[in-house]
């Protein structure tokens, strides 16, 4: 693999406004899985209703943590080679379509998970499988960023995608809350759906599936498929095992070219997994530990998305003034302190205060991590670097769910799972301290 590979046709060329909007709409639609299924509704339904009377000493929250840990391991095995194989074969958009609608299928099948512990295993399998497929779909989607942007507007286009994801989550969560969940008694929401058998939540899963499917279509129609490239020799003809040899060769070349990039990829993989864990288990903790109702947790989800978006927008100004490393480290330190405080406090009011404070620093850490890599990436190799960025992030995605489940089981208390998330953030912070900051212009 050469370190001065010329970008293939279609990379860095001007895109139409419609293509940019179409690309961002996938992020808007993907909030159906991230916000509704994984974070604020279906995962809470599994632990709070489906697994409420689960026999045995292991809680439903612990089983959730372990199932997502297994999913993270599968992502780590599969993600490193999916991007290179799809790009080398010129099937990036095809892969995005197949993986997106496979995710939609898993979401739709969640309709059959009734609120009885006998259905917990079906729910966990669908959630884990959907998580794996959804994360793999994110590889070709993120790779499309440079197809719909130019060097002069790639930051704005990327930020537009982040914003679409946040606000798509807000809109869908509000629809779910007022339409299917709000209220008390045997019927919920303005649709008056019965809670018998968890029907109202199961209908939310169907709505989320349709939402994702509809908003995923524009990018598949408007953004063209890239032709095959020779930027990664041998990747297009490599089998599954051989693909890992190609990946190892590319990593050796990267190590020789710029070790700082490798160090940052490792450090960011660690702290980004901690950031993901905050959103994954936040709703579960809100209900099971801090006493927030399953309905009101959606309102918290809306507030969390708004706060994270505002944090990312504000941090962008500080990023340009003091550099991305300082922003990331400040955010991680703040999150560790707030996480420790959360372990000791109780009640809905305390969770609203410190939970939102935690979310305030998630957006800045995510945004500045991407900025950090962009600043140290050699011109012409952005696609390769961000592909590895996604790969390394998934390679350790089992850490937060596994440690959350381990500490929750060890101390027989879901609250203790927070300690697992804090440890992952601390490890990522420690790894980042040895990475040299990008040079200032």
């Amino acid at each position: 693999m050469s370190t001065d590979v010329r970008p293939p046709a279609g990379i860095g060329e001007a895109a139409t406004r419609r293509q940019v909007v179409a690309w961002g709409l996938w992020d808007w639609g993907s909030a159906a899985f991230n916000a509704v299924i994984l974070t604020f509704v279906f995962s809470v339904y599994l632990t709070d209703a489906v697994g409420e009377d689960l026999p045995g000493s292991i809680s439903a929250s612990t089983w959730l943590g372990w199932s997502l840990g297994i999913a993270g391991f599968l992502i780590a095995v599969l993600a490193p080679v999916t991007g290179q194989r799809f790009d080398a074969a010129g099937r990036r958009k095809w892969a995005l379509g197949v993986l997106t609608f496979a995710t939609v299928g898993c979401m739709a099948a969640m309709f059959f998970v009734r609120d009885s512990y006998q259905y917990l295993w079906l729910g966990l399998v669908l959630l884990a499988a959907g998580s794996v497929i959804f994360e793999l779909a994110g590889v070709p989607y993120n790779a499309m960023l440079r197809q719909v942007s130019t060097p002069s507007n790639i930051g704005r286009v990327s930020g537009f995608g982040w914003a679409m994801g946040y606000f798509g989550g807000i809109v869908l969560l509000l629809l779910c809350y007022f339409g299917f969940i709000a209220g008390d008694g045997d019927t919920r929401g303005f649709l008056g759906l019965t809670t018998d058998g968890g029907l109202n939540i199961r209908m939310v899963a169907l709505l989320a599936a349709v939402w994702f499917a509809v908003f995923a279509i524009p990018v598949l129609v408007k953004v063209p498929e890239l032709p095959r490239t020779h930027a990664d020799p041998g990747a297009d003809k490599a089998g599954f095992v051989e693909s890992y040899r190609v990946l190892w060769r590319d990593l050796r070349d990267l190590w020789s070219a710029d070790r700082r990039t490798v160090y940052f990829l490792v450090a960011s993989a660690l702290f980004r997994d901690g950031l993901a864990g905050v959103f994954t288990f936040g709703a579960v903790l809100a209900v099971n530990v801090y006493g927030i109702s399953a309905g009101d947790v959606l309102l918290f989800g809306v507030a969390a998305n708004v706060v994270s978006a505002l944090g990312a927008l504000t941090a962008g100004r500080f990023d340009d003034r003091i550099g991305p490393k300082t922003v990331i480290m400040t955010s991680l330190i703040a999150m560790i302190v707030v996480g420790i405080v959360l372990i000791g406090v109780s009640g809905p009011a305390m969770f609203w205060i410190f939970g939102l404070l935690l979310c305030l620093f998630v957006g800045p850490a995510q945004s500045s991590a991407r900025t950090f890599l962009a600043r140290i990436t050699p011109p012409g190799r952005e696609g390769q670097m961000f592909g590895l960025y996604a790969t390394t992030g998934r390679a350790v995605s089992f850490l937060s769910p596994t440690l959350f489940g381990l500490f929750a089981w060890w101390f027989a208390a879901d609250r203790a799972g927070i300690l697992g998330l804090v440890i992952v953030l601390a490890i990522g912070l420690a790894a980042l301290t040895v990475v040299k900051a990008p040079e200032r212009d």
Side-chain angles (χ1 to χ4, degrees):
M1 183 187 69
S2 171
T3 58
D4 59 351
V5 173
R6 293 181 62 81
I11 293 294
E13 297 177 0
T16 66
R17 188 180 299 273
R18 289 184 178 180
Q19 288 177 332
V20 174
V21 172
W23 179 79
L25 283 174
W26 190 94
D27 233 332
W28 173 283
S30 72
F33 187 85
N34 269 330
V36 174
I37 299 299
L38 187 60
T39 306
F40 293 111
V41 181
F42 191 74
S43 61
V44 175
Y45 171 66
L46 284 180
T47 58
D48 188 48
V50 179
E52 182 180 11
D53 298 319
L54 182 67
S57 60
I58 301 177
S59 69
S61 296
T62 300
W63 282 116
L64 173 65
W66 286 346
S67 64
L68 293 179
I70 294 172
F73 173 78
L74 292 176
I75 293 168
V77 172
L78 298 174
V81 296
T82 53
Q84 73 180 29
R85 289 172 66 87
F86 296 146
D87 283 352
R91 307 191 75 182
R92 178 186 294 172
K93 186 169 75 169
W94 174 88
L96 177 62
V98 169
L99 293 169
T100 295
F101 284 96
T103 306
V104 169
C106 289
M107 295 164 68
M110 292 173 186
F111 174 79
F112 300 102
V113 180
R114 300 175 63 87
D115 64 348
S116 175
Y117 73 84
Q118 291 91 344
Y119 291 87
L120 177 64
W121 317 115
L122 174 61
L124 291 176
V125 168
L126 289 173
L127 188 62
S131 298
V132 173
I133 301 169
F134 176 74
E135 291 296 338
L136 294 181
V139 173
Y141 172 74
N142 288 328
M144 282 184 171
L145 170 60
R146 302 193 71 238
Q147 290 175 243
V148 296
S149 64
T150 65
S152 64
N153 69 3
I154 190 171
R156 295 195 300 274
V157 172
S158 177
F160 171 71
W162 275 106
M164 289 289 279
Y166 278 125
F167 290 112
I170 293 170
V171 172
L172 184 55
L173 285 172
L174 288 174
L175 286 175
C176 292
Y177 178 76
F178 291 108
F180 301 85
I181 298 173
D184 299 309
D186 295 332
T187 58
R188 300 292 176 86
F190 63 76
L191 295 177
L193 289 176
T194 179
T195 59
D196 184 40
L199 180 63
N200 63 321
I201 303 299
R202 290 154 55 203
M203 289 299 295
V204 166
L206 275 184
L207 171 64
V210 172
W211 178 280
F212 195 5
V214 168
F215 289 109
I217 292 174
V219 70
L220 303 176
V221 174
K222 294 294 184 181
V223 180
E225 183 72 271
L226 281 183
R228 293 190 179 203
T229 75
H230 299 287
D232 201 0
D236 57 334
K237 299 179 180 178
F240 183 76
V241 175
E242 183 64 25
S243 294
Y244 287 91
R245 296 192 181 99
V246 173
L247 177 68
W248 181 246
R249 179 201 67 194
D250 292 352
L251 289 174
R252 288 201 312 267
D253 288 350
L254 179 61
W255 179 260
S256 300
D258 187 0
R259 296 186 181 183
R260 174 175 60 174
T261 305
V262 177
Y263 294 151
F264 177 72
L265 288 172
V266 173
S268 69
L270 292 168
F271 69 71
R272 283 185 291 140
D273 186 55
L275 300 178
V278 170
F279 275 107
T280 300
F281 295 102
V284 174
L285 291 167
V287 173
N288 294 348
V289 175
Y290 296 94
I292 294 179
S293 70
D296 288 344
V297 77
L298 281 185
L299 298 180
F300 178 83
V302 171
N305 276 271
V306 172
V307 167
S308 295
L310 293 177
L313 290 173
T314 303
R317 296 179 177 272
F318 289 98
D319 189 305
D320 290 333
R321 295 176 181 175
I322 61 179
K325 181 177 179 179
T326 303
V327 173
I328 298 170
M329 293 188 66
T330 301
S331 299
L332 293 179
I333 292 171
M335 292 180 70
I336 291 169
V337 172
V338 174
I340 293 173
V341 173
L342 271 172
I343 296 175
V345 300
S346 299
M350 290 294 98
F351 186 79
W352 270 95
I353 295 172
F354 291 101
L356 290 180
L357 189 59
L358 199 67
C359 293
L360 178 65
F361 294 100
V362 172
Q366 291 173 324
S367 178
S368 290
R370 181 159 51 188
T371 302
F372 193 115
L373 184 59
R375 291 178 187 269
I376 64 176
T377 297
R381 295 182 60 187
E382 293 84 359
Q384 180 191 66
M385 293 300 102
F386 279 102
L388 286 170
Y389 184 70
T391 294
T392 52
R394 292 305 97 207
V396 299
S397 61
F398 60 92
L399 278 178
S400 285
T402 303
L403 286 180
F404 179 92
L406 175 63
F407 280 93
W409 167 75
W410 193 355
F411 291 96
D414 290 346
R415 178 192 298 270
I418 300 174
L419 183 58
L421 303 182
V422 168
I423 289 174
V424 176
L425 291 173
I427 294 173
L429 174 64
L432 182 63
T433 57
V434 302
V435 182
K436 182 182 176 183
E439 290 76 12
R440 301 297 299 276
D441 294 334

